[in-house]
Each structure stands twice: as structure tokens, then as C-alpha cells.
């Protein structure tokens, strides 16, 4: 199954899930502002944690009053659409909304929560090549397909998209996607040099192969 990227009407596609570029920008703006105002005395991971933690909370504050549910699947926080159309979680990645259609997002290593919810209709890579992960289910949100709300920090702000994970490489990084909806970048004026820190703060439960 080829990666579906429809760049003609991203807001129309977001609207199918009750989302919008404005809502997502509003959710990410506080974390972006918080991160860029960190001093040089902050820890190496502080800025990345600001974007991840603040953005998930701000997204929840906007969606839960609209009927979305906050759940945890194997420790991974998600926001589930009232009609189970989609389950969202926030994650950092590289190659987010890249104009080159050959460049796909790549996350940091993920674990059980993500592997349990890969798009099984895709022909992407088998997650970790381990048979025990092929039949794991996510019991808290069985009817809601997992999508990542992806962000990539840049010298201007954040590149954004939402994408459905389909497969991982042997390190557990998600590299295969069955669908991606690009979102307009969120820019923020000022010195973003604090964003040079490599740790983006998002997490997933660590998976270790059985010996």
C-alpha cells in the first residue's frame, strides 16, 4: 500500500476528524513558546519535553470538552475521537511534512503501545521482525486507529503533520506510514537556538526482545 499524502486539501481531511490547522497550532504554540524561552541553564531535554508535554495537554484541553476521551494504551497517552474515528498521540520525528514525497517521517524508537496499533492493512515493514508483536491488541481503544500528531523542531519553529504508523525498522523507529496529512508549519519569531538539543521528550514503552 503506497503512502497516501493529499496535499490539496489538508484542512478538509482534518475536518473529517473534527480537527483543524488552527486548533493544532493553538495546541502547540504554548509548548513552542515555553521551549524557546528556556535559559542556557535548563537541562538538555527541557525544551523537547516542553513541546511534547505542553502540546499533548493543550490538545486534550481542547478536545476532551468536545467528547474526545483521554486513555492510556500500554502507558501511551492518547486522545480518542467520540466516534472512534481516530486516536491521537504526540510524537517527534524527522522528515515531517517534507515537500519531497520520497522523504517519509522517522520517529525515535517506539515500543509495545505503538507496535500494538500499527496499520495492519499496510504492506510496511514487520515491526521488529518479532512474531509475538504481530497479534498484540490495544484493548483501551480497539475501534480507533492510532495516528501520530508529529512535530519536527526547526530553526523557525515546528513542522507538523498527522500520520498513521504502519511499520518499524529493527531499532523500533517508525519509518513506514499508510497515510499522512501535512499541516502548515508553526513559525515563531526569535532565537530558537535552544532547539539544538536532540531530545524531543516524547516517549513510548521500551520493548526488549525475549532471550
Amino acid at each position: 500500500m503506497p503512502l497516501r499524502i493529499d496535499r490539496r486539501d489538508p484542512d478538509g481531511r482534518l475536518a473529517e476528524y473534527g480537527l483543524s490547522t488552527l486548533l493544532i497550532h493553538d495546541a502547540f504554540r504554548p509548548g513552542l513558546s515555553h521551549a524557546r524561552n528556556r535559559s542556557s541553564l535548563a537541562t538538555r531535554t527541557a525544551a523537547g519535553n516542553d513541546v511534547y508535554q505542553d502540546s499533548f495537554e493543550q490538545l486534550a484541553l481542547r478536545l476532551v470538552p468536545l467528547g474526545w476521551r483521554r486513555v492510556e494504551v500500554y502507558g501511551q497517552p492518547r486522545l480518542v475521537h467520540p466516534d472512534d474515528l481516530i486516536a491521537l498521540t504526540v510524537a517527534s520525528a524527522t522528515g515531517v511534512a517534507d515537500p519531497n514525497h520520497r522523504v517519509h517521517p522517522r520517529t525515535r524508537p517506539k515500543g509495545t503501545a505503538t507496535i500494538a496499533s500499527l496499520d495492519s492493512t499496510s504492506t510496511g515493514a514487520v515491526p521488529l521482525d518479532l512474531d509475538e508483536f504481530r497479534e498484540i491488541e490495544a484493548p483501551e481503544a480497539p475501534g480507533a486507529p492510532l495516528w501520530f500528531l508529529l512535530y519536527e523542531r526547526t530553526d523557525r519553529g515546528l513542522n507538523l503533520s498527522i500520520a498513521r504508523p504502519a511499520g518499524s525498522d529493527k531499532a523500533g523507529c517508525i519509518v513506514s506510514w499508510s497515510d499522512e496529512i501535512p499541516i502548515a508549519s508553526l513559525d515563531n519569531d526569535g532565537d530558537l537556538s535552544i532547539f539544538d538539543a536532540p531530545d524531543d521528550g516524547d516517549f513510548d514503552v521500551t520493548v526488549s526482545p525475549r532471550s
Side-chain angles (χ1 to χ4, degrees), residues 1-82:
M1 177 185 295
L3 173 65
R4 176 190 178 192
I5 306 179
D6 188 349
R7 303 183 187 277
R8 295 170 298 176
D9 186 23
D11 274 313
R13 293 203 59 204
L14 290 173
E16 296 174 7
Y17 301 112
L19 301 170
S20 69
T21 298
L22 178 61
L23 183 149
I24 292 169
H25 279 189
D26 284 348
F28 273 88
R29 191 170 283 110
L32 177 60
S33 177
H34 193 183
R36 68 179 290 269
N37 285 300
R38 286 283 185 177
S39 75
S40 60
L41 299 178
T43 62
R44 180 179 61 85
T45 61
N49 277 316
D50 290 339
V51 178
Y52 171 71
Q53 299 288 356
D54 288 5
S55 300
F56 184 90
E57 181 181 13
Q58 290 296 321
L59 193 66
L61 287 170
R62 286 159 175 77
L63 294 180
V64 169
L66 301 178
W68 291 60
R69 309 185 307 280
R70 186 197 184 286
V71 303
E72 291 205 3
V73 178
Y74 297 113
Q76 183 184 68
R78 300 181 186 179
L79 294 166
V80 182
H81 187 277

Side-chain angles (χ1 to χ4, degrees), residues 5-194:
I5 306 179
D6 188 349
R7 303 183 187 277
R8 295 170 298 176
D9 186 23
D11 274 313
R13 293 203 59 204
L14 290 173
E16 296 174 7
Y17 301 112
L19 301 170
S20 69
T21 298
L22 178 61
L23 183 149
I24 292 169
H25 279 189
D26 284 348
F28 273 88
R29 191 170 283 110
L32 177 60
S33 177
H34 193 183
R36 68 179 290 269
N37 285 300
R38 286 283 185 177
S39 75
S40 60
L41 299 178
T43 62
R44 180 179 61 85
T45 61
N49 277 316
D50 290 339
V51 178
Y52 171 71
Q53 299 288 356
D54 288 5
S55 300
F56 184 90
E57 181 181 13
Q58 290 296 321
L59 193 66
L61 287 170
R62 286 159 175 77
L63 294 180
V64 169
L66 301 178
W68 291 60
R69 309 185 307 280
R70 186 197 184 286
V71 303
E72 291 205 3
V73 178
Y74 297 113
Q76 183 184 68
R78 300 181 186 179
L79 294 166
V80 182
H81 187 277
D83 297 323
D84 286 344
L85 298 180
I86 186 173
L88 279 179
T89 195
V90 175
S92 65
T94 59
V96 176
D98 195 294
N100 183 348
H101 66 87
R102 295 183 179 86
V103 177
H104 299 163
R106 179 188 178 88
T107 71
R108 300 170 67 199
K110 298 299 178 183
T112 304
T114 297
I115 291 168
S117 302
L118 295 177
D119 184 2
S120 61
T121 65
S122 171
T123 57
V126 175
L128 302 183
D129 290 332
L130 297 175
D131 289 339
E132 65 246 43
F133 293 124
R134 298 183 189 181
E135 297 180 357
I136 297 176
E137 296 180 354
E140 290 90 340
L146 174 65
W147 288 61
F148 282 138
L149 207 172
L150 298 171
Y151 67 92
E152 180 177 17
R153 297 187 291 166
T154 72
D155 58 358
R156 294 189 59 186
L158 298 174
N159 291 338
L160 299 164
S161 74
I162 67 170
R164 188 172 181 191
S168 66
D169 62 13
K170 292 183 181 297
C173 301
I174 303 302
V175 295
S176 176
W177 310 83
S178 58
D179 202 350
E180 183 182 12
I181 305 174
I183 299 168
S185 297
L186 176 59
D187 294 338
N188 202 343
D189 295 333
D191 180 11
L192 298 178
S193 59
I194 189 68

